Amino acid sequence: MQKARTKDASAPVGRWGAREAGIIEVATRLFSDKGYDGVTMASVAHACGLSEGTLYNYFKDKSDLAVRASLVAFDAHADEAETIVAEATSLRTGLERLIALELTILLEARGMMRVWLREVRGAQDYPKSPARGVLRRFSGNLIQLFEKFGAFPDPKSGITFSLIRDIVFGSAEHVVWTAYVQGRLDSLDIDRLSRDLAAAYLRAFAIAPRKTRTRTNGKARTTRGAR
Amino acid sequence: MQKARTKDASAPVGRWGAREAGIIEVATRLFSDKGYDGVTMASVAHACGLSEGTLYNYFKDKSDLAVRASLVAFDAHADEAETIVAEATSLRTGLERLIALELTILLEARGMMRVWLREVRGAQDYPKSPARGVLRRFSGNLIQLFEKFGAFPDPKSGITFSLIRDIVFGSAEHVVWTAYVQGRLDSLDIDRLSRDLAAAYLRAFAIAPRKTRTRTNGKARTTRGAR
Amino acid sequence: MQKARTKDASAPVGRWGAREAGIIEVATRLFSDKGYDGVTMASVAHACGLSEGTLYNYFKDKSDLAVRASLVAFDAHADEAETIVAEATSLRTGLERLIALELTILLEARGMMRVWLREVRGAQDYPKSPARGVLRRFSGNLIQLFEKFGAFPDPKSGITFSLIRDIVFGSAEHVVWTAYVQGRLDSLDIDRLSRDLAAAYLRAFAIAPRKTRTRTNGKARTTRGAR
Amino acid sequence: MQKARTKDASAPVGRWGAREAGIIEVATRLFSDKGYDGVTMASVAHACGLSEGTLYNYFKDKSDLAVRASLVAFDAHADEAETIVAEATSLRTGLERLIALELTILLEARGMMRVWLREVRGAQDYPKSPARGVLRRFSGNLIQLFEKFGAFPDPKSGITFSLIRDIVFGSAEHVVWTAYVQGRLDSLDIDRLSRDLAAAYLRAFAIAPRKTRTRTNGKARTTRGAR
DNA sequence: AATGAATGAGCTTTCATTCAT
DNA sequence: AATGAATGAAAGCTCATTCAT
């Protein structure tokens, strides 16, 4: 799959990499706008100022291009998410920023998510490793945020980190989709939405501090402690 | 295939309806599995044991087939949802059952939702009335459930009914999708999941009784009753 | 080709003939409006209040229907032309009326002419006899009109009856077609056009009286002699 | 067929143009023989030794192919007509040559006229400019010929330039069509026919010199002035 | 005779992919 | 490496025709 990199590690790779990166950048924009089926290889080539055949020197086929573009996109997003978690000074603000990030991604790259889901997660035979890794890195940040602040859902509540992830990401997706379908994308107030959703989630996820963390006031303000 | 007009005079309609219903049933399964673009008219015809042209005796075009299939599916689901709301004795149990219904639908017809959104809601020229009506009837039930029990989100929380709908449906979709991708569909415990989610939502949606309702003891079992 | 007429010569034939005539009438209207390719057997059946299969009890196939309809139409037109010739009191007025008839036919049944040309005259294997006969009868009337008044083109002019027929019919066809394409059909003044064209033709066709007719003063003013 | 890009740098355009021209040539022949509906893209491709898809690299769709083929044909013809008018030394000889040209065109491309009328003049949305221009250039030459020699129909005769055009073109079309149907195409004597028709038309169109032209000796006899 | 659902060949068009240059 | 013309397998859809009832 991977295009045979030249033996020389220096410039050629860079050159080559630059060309590849350029294609991916263009393709990402197109996929985001029009979705997988709405993009033709010809349109990608044209937008790159290349010929169709050239694309096949860099990517095995259309699916490969989509997958690689997805990986790059998600990799970047995962980096942002990581930064958010690292810089977070409270669970609440961190959560707000993660939600805002997710909403922004969906807003800007609605189609890319579909591509990801369809081509990456959907393909059984695709080597899961890189995709898995990136996805894990991305959605894992949400969990790490909670762990960073020693916030764990009460086992009795049935809420798991996995469920939290589904709720946060699923809700965001549906919110954006609904807005899109109703033609309200422009009026989406991401900041406000993120705050409201974060607050709701913190109420929802019966959060309890974990013993490992030195929590003086332990049990009491679990929910509130999330502030 | 078989003409088989029964002797009974009213039968033809039934027969014809049966054929149509049969096609819709097959198409629903295919759309659910593969999505709109993944299904060809030829594949539907083949799966029905019919020729391609025959489909066009029953459905104007592919979009019409998808829309009609969606309507049938959602109509049935809307009926179920209505019953649930009507029979609900508490907000909590009603919510649990609505969530369970949604999870079940998604489990059985994952792709159909997409088809609906794409072909029905997306098509500007399609006579909105039936589609709109069905959709409203379906997703509206969630809201009606809350209203039935006089439960309204606190305006200060930023939570609206629209947001509630997005959270409930979006989360459900993502939960099922994740389970599907991870091959855990069979081990989904819908009942437990529904209970846990309902409980989380009731905590999340800062519910307050509404003054307009003359329910002297009102406040009592609204927010708290939801517990 | 001909549908097996029932043995009984009386009513059944009439009945059957009436049904057939009805179909032809409807088909003629449709062909005239939309042309051969613009008409589907289904549309004919629907317009007749019949089912598609029934048409095939009366007509071998679509071409047969078109041919038979053409024959009927041209037969009727030939009758009209015959009447015009029979009633004509002068070459000029007779010519005017024949031209007017031709223009009217083209105006009302533009598509039918095409059908005739395509399916009847174009088909090599179709038994030429009936079609040939009708056509001869129709276009032959123009020649008979000239003969009736002893008007024969001067052999030295190169003008033959065949050429006269081509000029008269060809011009009419082009006039109507041009008007149609330019959307001026409604403003066509058939009477005036017929008069002007007839006059022009009489100037054009160097007409000489034939000896057989006792018209002593014949030769001189050909144009005027045409009166 | 053969890729064969010549070494010459300017050649590619030529080559490409040659390929396109080759397709148009083949298509023109087919359209001429069978008419628009009688020609399938597959048949064109096959006749070119190309695959169907290839046609779409050169032409947007079937209509585009027909239109472009028409334009090429009419453009060439319009050039010829222009030359004839420019070189004409008398109305009579010019008219004879224009008629001969028209007869030749129809002989070679009977069906193309229909395609032109249907696809080019019939299409409202087609950029009228090139098509309009070519058509005007072509049929306008007939009128310009008359104007060149100061020959204008007598207003009282009802004959207009538009009608002259219809008569000349319509008659030619019908003459060729009749000959075709009767299998006499080979025996058409175009030169003689052109002379006879031109003479007839000059008798028919009550031609008068126009006052605007300073032709004091206009000498009255319009018919004769046309000589 | 009449029906009309079923057929299936055929149409136009798209597009991922290949390969000679 | 790059090109881009050529490919050909689908796709959605239409419609004349058939045939069991």
Side-chain angles (χ1 to χ4, degrees), chain C residues 37 117 157-158 165-167 170-171 174 177-178 196 200 203-204, chain D residues 37 117 157-158 165-167 170-171 173-174 177-178 196 200 203-204:
Chain C
D37 288 315
L117 295 174
S157 70
R165 192 195 55 209
D166 287 334
I167 290 173
S171 300
H174 214 269
W177 179 254
T178 301
D196 293 339
R203 287 192 296 270
Chain D
D37 288 315
L117 293 174
S157 71
R165 195 194 54 210
D166 288 333
I167 290 173
S171 300
E173 206 175 329
H174 214 267
W177 179 255
T178 301
D196 294 340
R203 288 192 294 272

PDB file of all heavy atoms in Angstrom, chain C residues 37 117 157-158 165-167 170-171 174 177-178 196 200 203-204, chain D residues 37 117 157-158 165-167 170-171 173-174 177-178 196 200 203-204:
ATOM      1  N   ASP C  37     -41.610   8.560 -31.482  1.00  0.00           N
ATOM      2  CA  ASP C  37     -40.845   8.196 -30.289  1.00  0.00           C
ATOM      3  C   ASP C  37     -41.411   8.800 -29.011  1.00  0.00           C
ATOM      4  O   ASP C  37     -41.139   8.303 -27.921  1.00  0.00           O
ATOM      5  CB  ASP C  37     -39.387   8.635 -30.456  1.00  0.00           C
ATOM      6  CG  ASP C  37     -38.654   7.771 -31.461  1.00  0.00           C
ATOM      7  OD1 ASP C  37     -38.808   6.550 -31.375  1.00  0.00           O
ATOM      8  OD2 ASP C  37     -37.963   8.322 -32.328  1.00  0.00           O
ATOM      9  N   LEU C 117     -43.768   9.126 -42.802  1.00  0.00           N
ATOM     10  CA  LEU C 117     -42.510   9.056 -43.539  1.00  0.00           C
ATOM     11  C   LEU C 117     -41.594   7.989 -42.974  1.00  0.00           C
ATOM     12  O   LEU C 117     -40.969   7.231 -43.698  1.00  0.00           O
ATOM     13  CB  LEU C 117     -41.818  10.420 -43.506  1.00  0.00           C
ATOM     14  CG  LEU C 117     -42.564  11.530 -44.231  1.00  0.00           C
ATOM     15  CD1 LEU C 117     -41.877  12.864 -44.014  1.00  0.00           C
ATOM     16  CD2 LEU C 117     -42.669  11.213 -45.718  1.00  0.00           C
ATOM     17  N   SER C 157     -39.544  23.670 -69.890  1.00  0.00           N
ATOM     18  CA  SER C 157     -39.222  24.302 -68.609  1.00  0.00           C
ATOM     19  C   SER C 157     -38.563  23.315 -67.642  1.00  0.00           C
ATOM     20  O   SER C 157     -37.995  23.714 -66.636  1.00  0.00           O
ATOM     21  CB  SER C 157     -40.488  24.853 -67.958  1.00  0.00           C
ATOM     22  OG  SER C 157     -41.316  23.785 -67.515  1.00  0.00           O
ATOM     23  N   GLY C 158     -38.698  22.042 -67.956  1.00  0.00           N
ATOM     24  CA  GLY C 158     -38.128  21.052 -67.050  1.00  0.00           C
ATOM     25  C   GLY C 158     -39.038  20.754 -65.865  1.00  0.00           C
ATOM     26  O   GLY C 158     -38.764  19.898 -65.039  1.00  0.00           O
ATOM     27  N   ARG C 165     -45.290  18.608 -57.424  1.00  0.00           N
ATOM     28  CA  ARG C 165     -45.721  18.012 -56.155  1.00  0.00           C
ATOM     29  C   ARG C 165     -44.657  18.234 -55.068  1.00  0.00           C
ATOM     30  O   ARG C 165     -44.964  18.605 -53.932  1.00  0.00           O
ATOM     31  CB  ARG C 165     -45.942  16.516 -56.370  1.00  0.00           C
ATOM     32  CG  ARG C 165     -46.657  15.809 -55.264  1.00  0.00           C
ATOM     33  CD  ARG C 165     -46.469  14.337 -55.444  1.00  0.00           C
ATOM     34  NE  ARG C 165     -45.047  14.024 -55.517  1.00  0.00           N
ATOM     35  CZ  ARG C 165     -44.533  12.997 -56.196  1.00  0.00           C
ATOM     36  NH1 ARG C 165     -45.303  12.202 -56.887  1.00  0.00           N
ATOM     37  NH2 ARG C 165     -43.228  12.798 -56.186  1.00  0.00           N
ATOM     38  N   ASP C 166     -43.426  18.036 -55.421  1.00  0.00           N
ATOM     39  CA  ASP C 166     -42.364  18.238 -54.438  1.00  0.00           C
ATOM     40  C   ASP C 166     -42.303  19.685 -53.973  1.00  0.00           C
ATOM     41  O   ASP C 166     -42.104  19.973 -52.796  1.00  0.00           O
ATOM     42  CB  ASP C 166     -41.013  17.843 -55.040  1.00  0.00           C
ATOM     43  CG  ASP C 166     -40.878  16.332 -55.169  1.00  0.00           C
ATOM     44  OD1 ASP C 166     -41.536  15.623 -54.387  1.00  0.00           O
ATOM     45  OD2 ASP C 166     -40.132  15.878 -56.046  1.00  0.00           O
ATOM     46  N   ILE C 167     -42.456  20.595 -54.906  1.00  0.00           N
ATOM     47  CA  ILE C 167     -42.392  22.008 -54.542  1.00  0.00           C
ATOM     48  C   ILE C 167     -43.553  22.392 -53.634  1.00  0.00           C
ATOM     49  O   ILE C 167     -43.372  23.024 -52.585  1.00  0.00           O
ATOM     50  CB  ILE C 167     -42.400  22.888 -55.813  1.00  0.00           C
ATOM     51  CG1 ILE C 167     -41.082  22.725 -56.568  1.00  0.00           C
ATOM     52  CG2 ILE C 167     -42.639  24.351 -55.441  1.00  0.00           C
ATOM     53  CD1 ILE C 167     -41.057  23.421 -57.918  1.00  0.00           C
ATOM     54  N   GLY C 170     -43.253  20.242 -50.303  1.00  0.00           N
ATOM     55  CA  GLY C 170     -42.022  20.574 -49.592  1.00  0.00           C
ATOM     56  C   GLY C 170     -42.061  21.971 -49.001  1.00  0.00           C
ATOM     57  O   GLY C 170     -41.674  22.193 -47.846  1.00  0.00           O
ATOM     58  N   SER C 171     -42.542  22.901 -49.784  1.00  0.00           N
ATOM     59  CA  SER C 171     -42.621  24.273 -49.285  1.00  0.00           C
ATOM     60  C   SER C 171     -43.563  24.353 -48.091  1.00  0.00           C
ATOM     61  O   SER C 171     -43.258  24.981 -47.078  1.00  0.00           O
ATOM     62  CB  SER C 171     -43.121  25.204 -50.394  1.00  0.00           C
ATOM     63  OG  SER C 171     -42.240  25.168 -51.489  1.00  0.00           O
ATOM     64  N   HIS C 174     -41.968  22.995 -44.987  1.00  0.00           N
ATOM     65  CA  HIS C 174     -40.937  23.875 -44.446  1.00  0.00           C
ATOM     66  C   HIS C 174     -41.535  25.129 -43.816  1.00  0.00           C
ATOM     67  O   HIS C 174     -41.067  25.612 -42.786  1.00  0.00           O
ATOM     68  CB  HIS C 174     -39.948  24.262 -45.556  1.00  0.00           C
ATOM     69  CG  HIS C 174     -38.555  24.418 -45.061  1.00  0.00           C
ATOM     70  ND1 HIS C 174     -38.047  25.618 -44.628  1.00  0.00           N
ATOM     71  CD2 HIS C 174     -37.553  23.516 -44.902  1.00  0.00           C
ATOM     72  CE1 HIS C 174     -36.785  25.447 -44.259  1.00  0.00           C
ATOM     73  NE2 HIS C 174     -36.459  24.185 -44.405  1.00  0.00           N
ATOM     74  N   TRP C 177     -42.938  24.053 -40.489  1.00  0.00           N
ATOM     75  CA  TRP C 177     -41.865  23.689 -39.578  1.00  0.00           C
ATOM     76  C   TRP C 177     -41.131  24.926 -39.056  1.00  0.00           C
ATOM     77  O   TRP C 177     -40.862  25.062 -37.862  1.00  0.00           O
ATOM     78  CB  TRP C 177     -40.879  22.762 -40.288  1.00  0.00           C
ATOM     79  CG  TRP C 177     -39.741  22.364 -39.417  1.00  0.00           C
ATOM     80  CD1 TRP C 177     -38.467  22.806 -39.475  1.00  0.00           C
ATOM     81  CD2 TRP C 177     -39.799  21.468 -38.300  1.00  0.00           C
ATOM     82  NE1 TRP C 177     -37.719  22.231 -38.486  1.00  0.00           N
ATOM     83  CE2 TRP C 177     -38.503  21.414 -37.751  1.00  0.00           C
ATOM     84  CE3 TRP C 177     -40.816  20.710 -37.715  1.00  0.00           C
ATOM     85  CZ2 TRP C 177     -38.204  20.627 -36.649  1.00  0.00           C
ATOM     86  CZ3 TRP C 177     -40.514  19.928 -36.607  1.00  0.00           C
ATOM     87  CH2 TRP C 177     -39.228  19.886 -36.087  1.00  0.00           C
ATOM     88  N   THR C 178     -40.838  25.830 -39.951  1.00  0.00           N
ATOM     89  CA  THR C 178     -40.171  27.061 -39.536  1.00  0.00           C
ATOM     90  C   THR C 178     -41.021  27.832 -38.528  1.00  0.00           C
ATOM     91  O   THR C 178     -40.526  28.304 -37.495  1.00  0.00           O
ATOM     92  CB  THR C 178     -39.894  27.959 -40.757  1.00  0.00           C
ATOM     93  OG1 THR C 178     -39.078  27.251 -41.680  1.00  0.00           O
ATOM     94  CG2 THR C 178     -39.175  29.243 -40.333  1.00  0.00           C
ATOM     95  N   ASP C 196     -51.088  33.465 -51.746  1.00  0.00           N
ATOM     96  CA  ASP C 196     -49.793  33.944 -52.228  1.00  0.00           C
ATOM     97  C   ASP C 196     -48.982  32.816 -52.853  1.00  0.00           C
ATOM     98  O   ASP C 196     -48.344  32.983 -53.891  1.00  0.00           O
ATOM     99  CB  ASP C 196     -49.006  34.574 -51.068  1.00  0.00           C
ATOM    100  CG  ASP C 196     -49.687  35.854 -50.577  1.00  0.00           C
ATOM    101  OD1 ASP C 196     -50.480  36.435 -51.351  1.00  0.00           O
ATOM    102  OD2 ASP C 196     -49.428  36.253 -49.426  1.00  0.00           O
ATOM    103  N   ALA C 200     -47.830  32.345 -56.759  1.00  0.00           N
ATOM    104  CA  ALA C 200     -46.413  32.186 -57.090  1.00  0.00           C
ATOM    105  C   ALA C 200     -46.189  30.923 -57.907  1.00  0.00           C
ATOM    106  O   ALA C 200     -45.466  30.932 -58.911  1.00  0.00           O
ATOM    107  CB  ALA C 200     -45.582  32.136 -55.807  1.00  0.00           C
ATOM    108  N   ARG C 203     -47.201  31.286 -61.427  1.00  0.00           N
ATOM    109  CA  ARG C 203     -46.203  32.012 -62.212  1.00  0.00           C
ATOM    110  C   ARG C 203     -45.020  31.088 -62.524  1.00  0.00           C
ATOM    111  O   ARG C 203     -44.458  31.112 -63.620  1.00  0.00           O
ATOM    112  CB  ARG C 203     -45.686  33.221 -61.416  1.00  0.00           C
ATOM    113  CG  ARG C 203     -46.688  34.368 -61.300  1.00  0.00           C
ATOM    114  CD  ARG C 203     -46.027  35.622 -60.764  1.00  0.00           C
ATOM    115  NE  ARG C 203     -45.522  35.488 -59.394  1.00  0.00           N
ATOM    116  CZ  ARG C 203     -46.236  35.758 -58.305  1.00  0.00           C
ATOM    117  NH1 ARG C 203     -47.505  36.159 -58.409  1.00  0.00           N
ATOM    118  NH2 ARG C 203     -45.713  35.627 -57.107  1.00  0.00           N
ATOM    119  N   ALA C 204     -44.694  30.289 -61.543  1.00  0.00           N
ATOM    120  CA  ALA C 204     -43.493  29.461 -61.669  1.00  0.00           C
ATOM    121  C   ALA C 204     -43.635  28.343 -62.697  1.00  0.00           C
ATOM    122  O   ALA C 204     -42.732  28.099 -63.494  1.00  0.00           O
ATOM    123  CB  ALA C 204     -43.146  28.858 -60.312  1.00  0.00           C
TER     124      ALA C 204
ATOM    125  N   ASP D  37     -32.693   9.509 -33.113  1.00  0.00           N
ATOM    126  CA  ASP D  37     -33.107   8.397 -32.256  1.00  0.00           C
ATOM    127  C   ASP D  37     -32.620   7.055 -32.771  1.00  0.00           C
ATOM    128  O   ASP D  37     -32.520   6.095 -32.009  1.00  0.00           O
ATOM    129  CB  ASP D  37     -34.629   8.376 -32.131  1.00  0.00           C
ATOM    130  CG  ASP D  37     -35.130   9.504 -31.268  1.00  0.00           C
ATOM    131  OD1 ASP D  37     -34.537   9.733 -30.205  1.00  0.00           O
ATOM    132  OD2 ASP D  37     -36.096  10.171 -31.668  1.00  0.00           O
ATOM    133  N   LEU D 117     -32.290  20.530 -36.680  1.00  0.00           N
ATOM    134  CA  LEU D 117     -33.533  21.194 -36.283  1.00  0.00           C
ATOM    135  C   LEU D 117     -33.981  20.750 -34.904  1.00  0.00           C
ATOM    136  O   LEU D 117     -34.412  21.553 -34.086  1.00  0.00           O
ATOM    137  CB  LEU D 117     -34.633  20.880 -37.301  1.00  0.00           C
ATOM    138  CG  LEU D 117     -34.382  21.484 -38.683  1.00  0.00           C
ATOM    139  CD1 LEU D 117     -35.426  21.003 -39.670  1.00  0.00           C
ATOM    140  CD2 LEU D 117     -34.390  23.011 -38.604  1.00  0.00           C
ATOM    141  N   SER D 157     -47.089  40.947 -53.775  1.00  0.00           N
ATOM    142  CA  SER D 157     -47.185  39.522 -54.090  1.00  0.00           C
ATOM    143  C   SER D 157     -47.298  38.657 -52.838  1.00  0.00           C
ATOM    144  O   SER D 157     -47.644  37.477 -52.908  1.00  0.00           O
ATOM    145  CB  SER D 157     -45.958  39.089 -54.876  1.00  0.00           C
ATOM    146  OG  SER D 157     -44.820  39.077 -54.022  1.00  0.00           O
ATOM    147  N   GLY D 158     -46.990  39.272 -51.703  1.00  0.00           N
ATOM    148  CA  GLY D 158     -47.041  38.494 -50.473  1.00  0.00           C
ATOM    149  C   GLY D 158     -45.802  37.629 -50.265  1.00  0.00           C
ATOM    150  O   GLY D 158     -45.646  36.957 -49.249  1.00  0.00           O
ATOM    151  N   ARG D 165     -37.095  31.516 -48.711  1.00  0.00           N
ATOM    152  CA  ARG D 165     -36.214  30.538 -48.078  1.00  0.00           C
ATOM    153  C   ARG D 165     -36.949  29.216 -47.841  1.00  0.00           C
ATOM    154  O   ARG D 165     -36.423  28.140 -48.097  1.00  0.00           O
ATOM    155  CB  ARG D 165     -35.735  31.114 -46.738  1.00  0.00           C
ATOM    156  CG  ARG D 165     -34.572  30.404 -46.124  1.00  0.00           C
ATOM    157  CD  ARG D 165     -34.439  30.849 -44.701  1.00  0.00           C
ATOM    158  NE  ARG D 165     -35.704  30.659 -43.990  1.00  0.00           N
ATOM    159  CZ  ARG D 165     -36.124  31.402 -42.972  1.00  0.00           C
ATOM    160  NH1 ARG D 165     -35.404  32.406 -42.546  1.00  0.00           N
ATOM    161  NH2 ARG D 165     -37.274  31.144 -42.391  1.00  0.00           N
ATOM    162  N   ASP D 166     -38.170  29.318 -47.338  1.00  0.00           N
ATOM    163  CA  ASP D 166     -38.939  28.097 -47.088  1.00  0.00           C
ATOM    164  C   ASP D 166     -39.204  27.328 -48.371  1.00  0.00           C
ATOM    165  O   ASP D 166     -39.131  26.101 -48.412  1.00  0.00           O
ATOM    166  CB  ASP D 166     -40.273  28.454 -46.412  1.00  0.00           C
ATOM    167  CG  ASP D 166     -40.080  28.878 -44.965  1.00  0.00           C
ATOM    168  OD1 ASP D 166     -39.090  28.437 -44.351  1.00  0.00           O
ATOM    169  OD2 ASP D 166     -40.905  29.647 -44.451  1.00  0.00           O
ATOM    170  N   ILE D 167     -39.507  28.052 -49.411  1.00  0.00           N
ATOM    171  CA  ILE D 167     -39.803  27.390 -50.681  1.00  0.00           C
ATOM    172  C   ILE D 167     -38.561  26.706 -51.234  1.00  0.00           C
ATOM    173  O   ILE D 167     -38.594  25.534 -51.630  1.00  0.00           O
ATOM    174  CB  ILE D 167     -40.355  28.420 -51.697  1.00  0.00           C
ATOM    175  CG1 ILE D 167     -41.764  28.860 -51.279  1.00  0.00           C
ATOM    176  CG2 ILE D 167     -40.380  27.816 -53.108  1.00  0.00           C
ATOM    177  CD1 ILE D 167     -42.323  30.000 -52.113  1.00  0.00           C
ATOM    178  N   GLY D 170     -37.434  23.951 -48.628  1.00  0.00           N
ATOM    179  CA  GLY D 170     -38.464  22.922 -48.492  1.00  0.00           C
ATOM    180  C   GLY D 170     -38.583  22.075 -49.746  1.00  0.00           C
ATOM    181  O   GLY D 170     -38.674  20.842 -49.669  1.00  0.00           O
ATOM    182  N   SER D 171     -38.567  22.725 -50.881  1.00  0.00           N
ATOM    183  CA  SER D 171     -38.673  21.983 -52.133  1.00  0.00           C
ATOM    184  C   SER D 171     -37.485  21.053 -52.309  1.00  0.00           C
ATOM    185  O   SER D 171     -37.635  19.879 -52.672  1.00  0.00           O
ATOM    186  CB  SER D 171     -38.728  22.959 -53.310  1.00  0.00           C
ATOM    187  OG  SER D 171     -39.847  23.805 -53.186  1.00  0.00           O
ATOM    188  N   GLU D 173     -35.628  19.773 -50.078  1.00  0.00           N
ATOM    189  CA  GLU D 173     -35.717  18.662 -49.142  1.00  0.00           C
ATOM    190  C   GLU D 173     -36.672  17.595 -49.663  1.00  0.00           C
ATOM    191  O   GLU D 173     -36.386  16.399 -49.625  1.00  0.00           O
ATOM    192  CB  GLU D 173     -36.198  19.191 -47.778  1.00  0.00           C
ATOM    193  CG  GLU D 173     -35.757  18.350 -46.621  1.00  0.00           C
ATOM    194  CD  GLU D 173     -36.141  18.980 -45.284  1.00  0.00           C
ATOM    195  OE1 GLU D 173     -36.194  20.233 -45.194  1.00  0.00           O
ATOM    196  OE2 GLU D 173     -36.399  18.229 -44.345  1.00  0.00           O
ATOM    197  N   HIS D 174     -37.799  18.034 -50.143  1.00  0.00           N
ATOM    198  CA  HIS D 174     -38.810  17.089 -50.593  1.00  0.00           C
ATOM    199  C   HIS D 174     -38.372  16.356 -51.850  1.00  0.00           C
ATOM    200  O   HIS D 174     -38.631  15.160 -52.022  1.00  0.00           O
ATOM    201  CB  HIS D 174     -40.136  17.823 -50.841  1.00  0.00           C
ATOM    202  CG  HIS D 174     -41.329  16.999 -50.508  1.00  0.00           C
ATOM    203  ND1 HIS D 174     -41.982  16.232 -51.437  1.00  0.00           N
ATOM    204  CD2 HIS D 174     -41.981  16.800 -49.345  1.00  0.00           C
ATOM    205  CE1 HIS D 174     -43.008  15.614 -50.863  1.00  0.00           C
ATOM    206  NE2 HIS D 174     -43.034  15.942 -49.592  1.00  0.00           N
ATOM    207  N   TRP D 177     -35.928  13.775 -50.737  1.00  0.00           N
ATOM    208  CA  TRP D 177     -36.603  12.740 -49.969  1.00  0.00           C
ATOM    209  C   TRP D 177     -37.405  11.803 -50.875  1.00  0.00           C
ATOM    210  O   TRP D 177     -37.343  10.573 -50.748  1.00  0.00           O
ATOM    211  CB  TRP D 177     -37.531  13.385 -48.936  1.00  0.00           C
ATOM    212  CG  TRP D 177     -38.280  12.376 -48.131  1.00  0.00           C
ATOM    213  CD1 TRP D 177     -39.580  12.033 -48.241  1.00  0.00           C
ATOM    214  CD2 TRP D 177     -37.730  11.537 -47.105  1.00  0.00           C
ATOM    215  NE1 TRP D 177     -39.891  11.050 -47.350  1.00  0.00           N
ATOM    216  CE2 TRP D 177     -38.780  10.720 -46.639  1.00  0.00           C
ATOM    217  CE3 TRP D 177     -36.468  11.416 -46.536  1.00  0.00           C
ATOM    218  CZ2 TRP D 177     -38.603   9.784 -45.640  1.00  0.00           C
ATOM    219  CZ3 TRP D 177     -36.291  10.473 -45.541  1.00  0.00           C
ATOM    220  CH2 TRP D 177     -37.338   9.678 -45.098  1.00  0.00           C
ATOM    221  N   THR D 178     -38.122  12.384 -51.799  1.00  0.00           N
ATOM    222  CA  THR D 178     -38.910  11.573 -52.724  1.00  0.00           C
ATOM    223  C   THR D 178     -38.003  10.654 -53.540  1.00  0.00           C
ATOM    224  O   THR D 178     -38.273   9.461 -53.699  1.00  0.00           O
ATOM    225  CB  THR D 178     -39.711  12.478 -53.679  1.00  0.00           C
ATOM    226  OG1 THR D 178     -40.565  13.317 -52.917  1.00  0.00           O
ATOM    227  CG2 THR D 178     -40.547  11.640 -54.640  1.00  0.00           C
ATOM    228  N   ASP D 196     -33.597  24.245 -63.613  1.00  0.00           N
ATOM    229  CA  ASP D 196     -35.050  24.317 -63.773  1.00  0.00           C
ATOM    230  C   ASP D 196     -35.716  24.973 -62.566  1.00  0.00           C
ATOM    231  O   ASP D 196     -36.632  25.787 -62.696  1.00  0.00           O
ATOM    232  CB  ASP D 196     -35.619  22.913 -63.985  1.00  0.00           C
ATOM    233  CG  ASP D 196     -35.150  22.311 -65.307  1.00  0.00           C
ATOM    234  OD1 ASP D 196     -34.739  23.089 -66.189  1.00  0.00           O
ATOM    235  OD2 ASP D 196     -35.184  21.071 -65.443  1.00  0.00           O
ATOM    236  N   ALA D 200     -37.790  28.504 -62.378  1.00  0.00           N
ATOM    237  CA  ALA D 200     -39.165  28.527 -61.876  1.00  0.00           C
ATOM    238  C   ALA D 200     -39.296  29.543 -60.750  1.00  0.00           C
ATOM    239  O   ALA D 200     -40.255  30.324 -60.694  1.00  0.00           O
ATOM    240  CB  ALA D 200     -39.559  27.137 -61.385  1.00  0.00           C
ATOM    241  N   ARG D 203     -39.421  33.063 -61.889  1.00  0.00           N
ATOM    242  CA  ARG D 203     -40.741  33.414 -62.406  1.00  0.00           C
ATOM    243  C   ARG D 203     -41.706  33.634 -61.242  1.00  0.00           C
ATOM    244  O   ARG D 203     -42.541  34.526 -61.250  1.00  0.00           O
ATOM    245  CB  ARG D 203     -41.286  32.291 -63.296  1.00  0.00           C
ATOM    246  CG  ARG D 203     -40.599  32.152 -64.646  1.00  0.00           C
ATOM    247  CD  ARG D 203     -41.374  31.220 -65.568  1.00  0.00           C
ATOM    248  NE  ARG D 203     -41.419  29.837 -65.112  1.00  0.00           N
ATOM    249  CZ  ARG D 203     -40.494  28.921 -65.405  1.00  0.00           C
ATOM    250  NH1 ARG D 203     -39.438  29.242 -66.133  1.00  0.00           N
ATOM    251  NH2 ARG D 203     -40.624  27.679 -64.963  1.00  0.00           N
ATOM    252  N   ALA D 204     -41.557  32.786 -60.240  1.00  0.00           N
ATOM    253  CA  ALA D 204     -42.516  32.810 -59.134  1.00  0.00           C
ATOM    254  C   ALA D 204     -42.386  34.057 -58.260  1.00  0.00           C
ATOM    255  O   ALA D 204     -43.389  34.670 -57.876  1.00  0.00           O
ATOM    256  CB  ALA D 204     -42.329  31.575 -58.262  1.00  0.00           C
TER     257      ALA D 204
END
